[in-house]
Amino acid sequence: AQRVTQPEKLLSVFKGAPVELKCNYSYSGSPELFWYVQYSRQRLQLLLRHISRESIKGFTADLNKGETSFHLKKPFAQEEDSAMYYCALRLYNNNDMRFGAGTRLTVKP
Amino acid sequence: DAGVTQSPTHLIKTRGQQVTLRCSPKSGHDTVSWYQQALGQGPQFIFQYYEEEERQRGNFPDRFSGHQFPNYSSELNVNALLLGDSALYLCASSFSWQPSSYEQYFGPGTRLTVT
């Protein structure tokens, strides 16, 4: 079954430390992977997508098909990065998006 | 542009009742998807509407139905409510002619509580 796993429900780091939020997926086809973020009292919003190979707010994510992973990384975390992060998988040529359970990131001062 | 809007914000219903949730997509968007987000979980895809038809459906029973209107707004209907239907219901809109970098814009959600 197509599934997204985020193994950490909670992640806490200090400001300025590197951060990595893990995401693993199971899907035999050609995946489209996304990271969504939800800041406190705000709606869910797209952070980045693998196909664009972009860096948003200092975050990057590389699709590793061999390890079926799409980990989100930032070299120096900021307090404003504290939020809920969801990894999502869109099946090839399909409109069904599968979300992970999310990781709550807290960046301490 | 207010983005995606949903109404009502909160709703309390009794088991066995029926409920209708509403969504207006972001300006320029023609596709609406609905998600259910249970507490502590990620959103789960219910279905997607395009050109007033259900284009794709997730693993939800027929008690969940929807509709899309000519102005692209959408409704989610849930019949015979169960306690387990208590969740945040999210609407997301997108544009059908996007490139492959599919992007959805989410609404603030409707919190449904079934007692």
Side-chain angles (χ1 to χ4, degrees), chain A residues 6 9 32 34 36 38 42-46 49 51-52 84 86 90-91 93-102, chain B residues 2-5 33 35 37 40-45 48 55-58 90 100-108:
Chain A
Q6 293 180 251
K9 278 206 170 294
E32 281 189 66
F34 303 81
Y36 280 82
Q38 187 166 27
Q42 294 188 27
R43 60 187 66 187
L44 196 61
Q45 58 185 283
L46 178 67
R49 51 204 146 191
I51 201 165
S52 301
M84 195 74 182
Y86 294 95
R90 181 189 178 204
L91 310 184
N93 225 17
N94 195 308
N95 301 301
D96 184 347
M97 291 276 281
R98 304 292 171 92
F99 283 80
Chain B
V4 179
T5 60
S33 300
Y35 293 83
Q37 186 174 18
Q41 300 297 317
Q44 189 174 357
F45 178 75
Q48 184 181 83
R55 183 158 74 168
Q56 193 107 37
R57 189 178 185 93
L90 296 169
S100 58
S101 56
Y102 181 72
E103 180 170 357
Q104 297 182 103
Y105 288 79
F106 281 84

Side-chain angles (χ1 to χ4, degrees), chain A residues 23 25 31-35 48-51 63 70 87-89:
Chain A
C23 171
Y25 67 92
E32 281 189 66
L33 276 299
F34 303 81
W35 276 98
L48 55 77
R49 51 204 146 191
H50 90 271
I51 201 165
L63 176 61
F70 188 56
C87 182
L89 162 71

